[in-house]
Amino acid sequence: QVQLVQSGAEVKKPGSSVKVSCRASGGTLSSYTISWVRQAPGQGLDWMGRIIPILGIANYAQKFQGRVSITADRSTSTAYMELSSLRSEDTAVYYCARDYYDHSGYFVPLGYWGQGTLVTVSS
Amino acid sequence: DIVLTQSPGTLSLSPGERATLSCRASQSVGSNFLAWFQQIPGQAPRLLIYGASSRATGIPDRFGGSGSGTDFTLTISRLEPEDFAVYYCQQYGSSPWTFGQGTKVEIK
């Protein structure tokens, strides 16, 4: 059974950076993509970007471009999301999520989710 | 970017009733790559439907997805107490992937 385990809650000052980790157990990262999705308090889901670990290629939503970096370490089956120049509006729960392929080989997006990491940005 | 608009914002129903949730895209969703998620407060989202109509592993058959192009529907045939939650549609046919704003299904 695939599990995604994320790092713990963080409190950060405005202007600083945060790096959240997401470790996969019960499976590998290499063959699947990992996305990061955030959810501000009381708000909906916001896709930030994704990485293909086997290629090391990431793409990002335009609104986060230049502030976010998604990386992966295949040796430890861990993905990372780093967000810089933090502001109060970045206070949110950050989730990682992994894709898979069904029994027919059909792509299934965001089928496994981490537990979420609360990042609070406050002076 | 593809904008997904969900309606209604809130659906007030009783257990045992049928729920019909709509998701409309600003442009055609490539290959009908449209998914539905359920989120219970305090929990991570859970994938229900992918490819517009395929149920994810372990999802009960009272959940059904339909639609193509720009109009998609999630139907819950008979609401169980655990189905009262917020539902999001999401498209993964083109980058960036985007989510709808959500529909809350609440107990009437």
Side-chain angles (χ1 to χ4, degrees):
Chain A
Q1 177 69 3
V2 175
Q3 274 196 307
L4 300 178
V5 180
Q6 298 183 222
S7 49
E10 303 259 14
V11 179
K12 293 293 183 180
K13 299 284 189 189
S16 67
S17 298
V18 68
K19 192 170 186 176
V20 181
S21 68
C22 170
R23 181 176 55 84
S25 63
T28 67
L29 273 185
S30 296
S31 304
Y32 307 97
T33 66
I34 292 280
S35 288
W36 288 88
V37 176
R38 81 175 186 181
Q39 186 170 39
Q43 302 300 309
L45 303 171
D46 205 357
W47 184 81
M48 301 178 70
R50 64 197 280 247
I51 187 166
I52 306 172
I54 199 169
L55 299 177
I57 295 173
N59 69 300
Y60 307 109
Q62 183 68 29
K63 69 183 288 187
F64 300 104
Q65 197 86 30
R67 283 209 303 142
V68 68
S69 175
I70 297 174
T71 57
D73 182 340
R74 291 165 58 194
S75 67
T76 59
S77 294
T78 303
Y80 300 92
M81 185 284 299
E82 184 169 22
L83 188 63
S84 61
S85 302
L86 291 169
R87 37 211 189 224
S88 58
E89 309 90 88
D90 294 317
T91 294
V93 175
Y94 290 77
Y95 294 100
C96 63
R98 203 204 82 176
D99 313 316
Y100 66 90
Y101 292 88
D102 70 10
H103 59 280
S104 300
Y106 201 69
F107 180 76
V108 182
L110 309 176
Y112 300 107
W113 289 70
Q115 82 276 19
T117 296
L118 175 62
V119 175
T120 303
V121 182
S122 173
S123 54
Chain B
D1 298 4
I2 295 180
V3 176
L4 300 177
T5 303
Q6 294 186 239
S7 61
T10 301
L11 202 48
S12 298
L13 295 168
S14 301
E17 289 195 292
R18 181 184 185 89
T20 302
L21 287 68
S22 174
C23 176
R24 178 161 289 179
S26 60
Q27 56 189 278
S28 186
V29 175
S31 303
N32 292 328
F33 280 176
L34 192 287
W36 289 92
F37 295 84
Q38 177 195 64
Q39 189 176 33
I40 293 166
Q43 296 185 17
R46 177 174 72 144
L47 176 68
L48 300 175
I49 301 288
Y50 63 95
S53 60
S54 298
R55 271 187 302 277
T57 304
I59 301 304
D61 61 8
R62 65 179 181 273
F63 291 94
S66 63
S68 64
T70 60
D71 288 291
F72 300 89
T73 301
L74 174 70
T75 302
I76 310 171
S77 58
R78 286 178 56 85
L79 283 164
E80 297 288 340
E82 62 268 27
D83 298 337
F84 292 91
V86 180
Y87 292 83
Y88 296 95
C89 58
Q90 180 250 344
Q91 68 81 23
Y92 54 104
S94 61
S95 188
W97 294 2
T98 50
F99 287 90
Q101 82 279 16
T103 289
K104 181 180 181 180
V105 178
E106 65 176 23
I107 300 176
K108 187 174 181 180

